[in-house]
Amino acid sequence: MKDPITTMKIFLDTADTDLIKEGFATGLIDGITTNPSLIMKSGRDPEEVYQELIDLGIPDISMEVVGTGEEMVAEGRRLAKKFGKEQTTIKVPCTRGGLAACRVLAKELIKVNVTLIFSPSQAILAAKAGARYVSPFVGRVDDNSFGGLCLVKDIANVFEKQFCRSTEILAASIRGVRQVSTAFSYGAHICTIPPNIFDGMYKHVLTDAGLDQFDADWKKVQKTVTSSLDV
Ligand code: G3P
């Protein structure tokens, strides 16, 4: 049997280091994905955020690069050198330049996450370019009236039929707890989720109700035990 921590990996999709610290302390978080919008929301210098995550020991941190293919390669190399190839993943968009950059970086054993994936054909090209991860955007596909989770399933089918084992499907733009389990059941290897969805994964109204009942009954048991000892 596979070690459970090597499958169903969960990444947090945020640049908020306070929330990341809280999540990572559970031991259930396998990595972090950031993007320019999330960094902007944090109001911080991106490299200060990355350094804090490196120091926390986050095993895998997606850092997005922008510009032309050449600029993405240069920036990807610089970031991988500064933060170390082990923990650094360079995130590039699924464009001609991004795929070219992916090919160069992957050959240098720098992990690449090809992001903004909206079709199986994009995922195929990203895999051929040596991507470690492809990131289909589930929520944004749903926003446009077609099925984000079906996209995950379609990519997983292609990768399975073609024995593609070197690229993992990282389901992104996840908007609800239910989407996480469905994405995994459709073949995603990783789900990157906002911290509130991570919290929603363990919270359940019936767990709370059951716990209230157990706590109340436990108090009654303690009282009975104490009074029988008093006799
Ligand atoms: O990792 C990309 C993802 O964060 C995008 O999410 O909710 O902005 O579509 P969203």
Side-chain angles (χ1 to χ4, degrees):
M1 198 180 121
K2 264 190 177 176
D3 182 343
I5 63 165
T6 64
T7 68
M8 297 180 290
K9 283 180 275 186
I10 295 174
F11 286 11
L12 289 182
D13 195 27
T14 180
D16 183 326
T17 54
D18 288 336
L19 293 177
I20 290 169
K21 272 180 214 156
E22 269 178 42
F24 193 57
T26 64
L28 302 172
I29 299 302
D30 304 289
I32 299 295
T33 49
T34 63
N35 63 36
S37 308
L38 293 170
I39 293 284
M40 186 193 72
K41 220 168 127 192
S42 77
R44 296 181 59 191
D45 173 342
E47 293 190 30
E48 215 181 272
V49 172
Y50 303 152
Q51 189 59 57
E52 202 175 329
L53 300 183
I54 295 281
D55 295 342
L56 272 174
I58 306 287
D60 196 312
I61 305 156
S62 276
M63 310 172 187
E64 194 151 342
V65 292
V66 297
T68 64
E70 288 79 11
E71 286 165 344
M72 286 188 253
V73 169
E75 189 61 356
R77 281 182 181 141
R78 188 185 69 75
L79 290 169
K81 189 165 182 221
K82 178 168 179 181
F83 297 109
K85 283 183 183 175
E86 183 93 8
Q87 285 165 277
T88 303
T89 293
I90 302 302
K91 207 171 172 189
V92 301
C94 190
T95 58
R96 203 175 172 107
L99 291 169
C102 175
R103 207 158 168 270
V104 174
L105 294 170
K107 279 194 178 149
E108 295 173 19
L109 304 180
I110 294 171
K111 284 179 286 171
V112 182
N113 174 358
V114 179
T115 189
L116 290 165
I117 296 271
F118 293 93
S119 72
S121 55
Q122 288 181 306
I124 290 166
L125 293 183
K128 283 177 68 70
R132 181 79 176 79
Y133 308 119
V134 288
S135 290
F137 272 34
V138 172
R140 293 194 196 184
V141 172
D142 286 344
D143 290 345
N144 285 280
S145 304
F146 57 114
L149 289 165
C150 291
L151 171 60
V152 170
K153 196 192 236 176
D154 289 347
I155 296 170
N157 275 336
V158 174
F159 283 10
E160 196 189 328
K161 295 256 162 46
Q162 296 298 323
F163 306 102
C164 172
R165 305 254 185 273
S166 47
T167 304
E168 291 187 297
I169 301 168
L170 195 168
S173 182
I174 296 271
R175 308 271 172 80
V177 171
R178 177 83 181 134
Q179 285 179 330
V180 177
S181 51
T182 310
F184 281 130
S185 76
Y186 282 179
H189 302 91
I190 305 162
C191 284
T192 188
I193 56 178
N196 65 315
I197 292 182
F198 175 64
D199 290 335
M201 283 180 74
Y202 59 82
K203 284 185 187 155
H204 199 286
V205 65
L206 294 179
T207 303
D208 292 343
L211 189 59
D212 286 348
Q213 175 82 58
F214 288 158
D215 282 346
D217 290 347
W218 191 246
K219 276 188 191 134
K220 287 179 201 156
V221 171
Q222 297 306 306
K223 265 193 198 152
T224 320
V225 172
T226 320
S227 56
S228 67
L229 281 175
D230 289 345
V231 174

